[in-house]
Amino acid sequence: MKVSDTMATPIEEKLDQNLKVRTGMVHVSDGKSRPEPLRLNLTMELLSLQKLEVVTPTSHPNGPPMESKERMVQITRQKQGGLGLSIKGGAEHKLPILISRIYKDQAADITGQLFVGDAIIKVNGEYITACPHDDAVNILRNAGDIVVLTVKHYRAATPFLQKQLTKDTPDSDNDATCAELKADEGYKSSVNSGTISRSCSRPMSICSEPEKRWTDVVAVPLMMAYVTRYIYGTDKLRQNAFEVRGLNGVTTGVIHCDELAILSQWLKLITDNVVGLTHLQMKLYNRNFAVGERIEYMGWVNEGVINNNISWQSYKPRFLLLKGTEVMLFETPPLNVAGISKALVVYKVYQTMFRIVKESETVDSRQHCFLLQSSGHEPRYLSVETRQELLRIENSWNAAIVTSVIKLGRKTFAVSHHGKSGGLTLDWQAGFSLTEGADSAVVWQYKFSQLRGSSDDGKSKLKLHFQDHDSRAIETKELECQVLQSLLFCMHAFLTAKVASVDPAFLSSIQQT
């Protein structure tokens, strides 16, 4: 395969340690300059852009790297042993967070890409270089099942860390190790300057032979990555091209495919991996929540920003969560359970309307759009990349409606009926009921199935039309409510949940999720 080929090549698939790896030639640009040919390399967790280079290996293939370059390594946490590594250092010692021990046959060791003496710079894209030791430990413990570490090898630190191992120094004895590390001027100078000793006992010509090798130009972690065919922030669809942005801020640039079939195949493979990884992360988060508080959906959407009802001026990526009784929008995905409390927008699902926008109603070239409108707030116009993703959100929304209504149980709104103050209650089991007076006496009550229609004036007045079980006659009840929109949205949620729960299998799946 020649790197100078002008055409994108079909996707090749191979097994590497029983894991599927897909590769193929594409063209990549920054959106402004002429695209250059590179190879796409897709694993379950990582999308890499690679070029063929003539390299001279400077270290044993199974040993630590000689170069002091940053590397990204992905680890899958094990149930027993966790990440399989220990750390030393920390900001309180004016030292980086250093890997001091790697446990044989555990997660870090299995990667084959982490070494004693590696400094951990980022965890899932979050810098920890300024963290005290204990904070770094907590960040690693709570980083999820799939963890992406950005590391840089400090070779001068390795002998001291290995000496600690031979002394059987407890992992908790961080202060003693740090004191010894800082006492060595050679290590300090190597850290400060970023240089690495390149000593070799043999001449370079004997140490290694030049060879051709695919080397990574860019590596993007796929956990909760953002995949789009649109020019960033617009409704303009790229012609036979797409972009992938990682949580760590790394982007692939614009990936061009000459054939639509190859483009579609790459998009599906990458998106499937992103969805699979995101679902794994969602399951991890849900371990911390009770049944009625769990996450039903999380993924990227784009929100349109409108100006004077003329056209959408821009689109902003948002991360959408449906959790328990709430729908949330984030500027960036939450990296841990604590981050879920930092949403940009939070609405109650049972007081929010979800509506798919018909193709004839879209306001610009963006497809697969939907509206979220919560009572008392302006509607939010959102879009996703594919019809399949839109249907996933719709199905998750219906599940979230049932979950939220069952958890809520009942909701009462202050109303007036024939001039008298009262309360209209929506009850998951009993249906509609109106109560009046200090003793909350029931004036009338109907099941949800008896509602035949409703009408309102858009302000405060509402008419509910019920059918009597015996006479089959329609009975109209007139009410006034100062929070009419909130009442209507809540009614819609209860009725939607009742319709969905007619399917016993569906209701059972919601309760067990």
Side-chain angles (χ1 to χ4, degrees):
M1 181 187 302
K2 294 182 180 180
V3 177
S4 59
D5 287 346
T6 57
M7 299 289 288
T9 61
I11 300 171
E12 298 178 358
E13 183 179 301
K14 63 179 181 180
L15 287 177
D16 184 3
Q17 297 180 347
N18 293 323
L19 297 175
K20 288 183 180 179
V21 178
R22 277 103 172 188
T23 58
M25 293 301 298
V26 294
H27 289 80
V28 182
S29 74
D30 59 5
K32 299 175 183 178
S33 56
R34 183 188 178 99
E36 62 173 314
L38 293 172
R39 187 174 82 158
L40 268 190
N41 187 85
L42 175 66
T43 65
M44 182 61 198
E45 300 91 3
L46 208 63
L47 179 66
S48 305
L49 293 171
Q50 302 175 325
K51 62 180 178 181
L52 195 59
E53 290 186 328
V54 176
V55 297
T56 302
T58 57
S59 63
H60 190 276
N62 295 323
M66 293 291 291
E67 297 83 359
S68 59
K69 294 180 180 179
E70 290 187 8
R71 305 162 359 247
M72 284 180 26
V73 180
Q74 190 153 293
I75 312 178
T76 301
R77 189 187 301 273
Q78 295 177 331
K79 291 183 179 179
Q80 299 294 329
L83 296 179
L85 57 82
S86 294
I87 61 171
K88 302 280 189 182
E92 70 268 42
H93 301 286
K94 297 183 180 179
L95 289 171
I97 300 297
L98 293 160
I99 295 178
S100 60
R101 186 189 296 258
I102 291 177
Y103 296 90
K104 185 173 176 58
D105 296 328
Q106 294 189 19
D109 185 41
I110 290 170
T111 68
Q113 301 177 61
L114 290 171
F115 306 94
V116 170
D118 280 348
I120 303 176
I121 298 167
K122 299 180 191 176
V123 178
N124 290 337
E126 178 183 356
Y127 280 98
I128 66 166
T129 48
C131 284
H133 178 269
D134 290 349
D135 288 356
V137 170
N138 288 330
I139 288 171
L140 287 165
R141 282 177 178 166
N142 298 302
D145 281 352
I146 297 176
V147 183
V148 178
L149 300 181
T150 302
V151 298
K152 183 176 181 179
H153 190 68
Y154 288 114
R155 197 171 188 81
T158 306
F160 294 93
L161 295 170
Q162 288 176 339
K163 184 165 63 174
Q164 294 296 319
L165 296 182
T166 60
K167 288 181 179 180
D168 292 327
T169 304
D171 289 332
S172 59
D173 191 5
N174 185 47
D175 292 343
T177 305
C178 290
E180 188 167 355
L181 279 167
K182 289 173 70 177
D184 180 74
E185 292 300 320
Y187 169 69
K188 186 185 294 185
S189 63
S190 72
V191 172
N192 291 339
S193 66
T195 60
I196 297 295
S197 171
R198 295 177 178 272
S199 61
C200 181
S201 59
R202 295 172 293 160
M204 182 59 71
S205 60
I206 300 176
C207 281
S208 55
E209 290 293 332
E211 62 182 41
K212 286 186 177 181
R213 184 186 300 172
W214 288 105
T215 60
D216 289 352
V217 178
V218 173
V220 179
L222 295 179
M223 170 66 73
M224 295 188 283
Y226 172 72
V227 184
T228 183
R229 284 194 62 193
Y230 290 94
I231 296 174
Y232 192 80
T234 75
D235 67 329
K236 307 304 179 189
L237 194 69
R238 288 192 176 97
Q239 188 71 26
N240 284 12
F242 66 97
E243 178 185 5
V244 182
R245 296 186 176 213
L247 274 181
N248 56 354
V250 175
T251 175
T252 58
V254 183
I255 299 171
H256 302 262
C257 298
D258 299 296
E259 297 180 23
L260 185 59
I262 295 176
L263 173 78
S264 300
Q265 192 177 1
W266 272 124
L267 279 171
K268 184 180 186 308
L269 291 171
I270 295 168
T271 301
D272 285 351
N273 286 12
V274 171
V275 170
L277 290 168
T278 303
H279 186 70
L280 286 176
Q281 189 68 27
M282 186 172 76
K283 289 176 68 176
L284 174 68
Y285 289 161
N286 280 340
R287 293 177 186 174
N288 299 278
F289 305 122
V291 172
E293 293 295 330
R294 290 178 182 167
I295 301 170
E296 294 282 355
Y297 172 89
M298 60 184 198
W300 285 102
V301 299
N302 281 273
E303 181 177 11
V305 181
I306 197 168
N307 184 21
N308 298 326
N309 294 318
I310 298 173
S311 64
W312 301 104
Q313 300 302 305
S314 63
Y315 280 85
K316 293 183 179 179
R318 302 291 191 210
F319 198 76
L320 175 70
L321 249 75
L322 290 172
K323 177 185 175 297
T325 61
E326 295 175 331
V327 53
M328 308 175 182
L329 288 172
F330 297 78
E331 288 187 337
T332 57
L335 298 179
N336 47 47
V337 173
I340 294 175
S341 63
K342 300 175 183 178
L344 183 70
V345 174
V346 180
Y347 297 144
K348 292 295 184 184
V349 170
Y350 57 80
Q351 289 185 337
T352 304
M353 290 285 287
F354 169 90
R355 183 172 73 85
I356 292 179
V357 178
K358 297 178 182 178
E359 288 188 21
S360 59
E361 297 175 345
T362 55
V363 298
D364 55 24
S365 299
R366 283 261 179 179
Q367 298 177 322
H368 317 305
C369 301
F370 64 97
L371 284 168
L372 284 182
Q373 183 171 7
S374 187
S375 57
H377 300 275
E378 289 295 318
R380 291 182 176 268
Y381 189 89
L382 305 161
S383 77
V384 290
E385 293 289 321
T386 65
R387 176 70 178 173
Q388 181 183 17
E389 191 66 15
L390 183 60
L391 293 177
R392 283 185 64 232
I393 294 176
E394 183 182 36
N395 290 337
S396 298
W397 184 270
N398 289 334
I401 284 285
V402 176
T403 299
S404 64
V405 168
I406 290 175
K407 180 175 175 59
L408 181 64
R410 65 202 314 264
K411 178 79 172 174
T412 300
F413 293 86
V415 298
S416 62
H417 178 243
H418 297 320
K420 295 181 180 180
S421 297
L424 178 66
T425 297
L426 309 178
D427 188 285
W428 170 248
Q429 299 294 341
F432 295 90
S433 63
L434 179 72
T435 56
E436 292 179 351
D439 59 349
S440 297
V442 176
V443 178
W444 49 255
Q445 186 169 354
Y446 295 93
K447 293 182 178 180
F448 287 115
S449 59
Q450 290 179 264
L451 183 68
R452 288 294 176 264
S454 66
S455 58
D456 64 87
D457 65 354
K459 297 177 182 178
S460 62
K461 294 182 179 180
L462 172 66
K463 292 182 179 180
L464 298 175
H465 311 290
F466 298 102
Q467 186 174 50
D468 184 83
H469 272 316
D470 299 325
S471 67
R472 314 301 291 174
I474 300 297
E475 299 175 351
T476 298
K477 304 299 180 182
E478 297 185 18
L479 305 167
E480 284 196 42
C481 180
Q482 296 306 310
V483 287
L484 180 62
Q485 189 180 60
S486 182
L487 170 58
L488 292 174
F489 286 0
C490 199
M491 278 177 49
H492 185 271
F494 272 78
L495 293 167
T496 299
K498 275 296 177 184
V499 171
S501 67
V502 168
D503 180 358
F506 178 81
L507 184 59
S508 176
S509 69
I510 296 302
Q511 293 172 331
Q512 294 174 9
T513 301

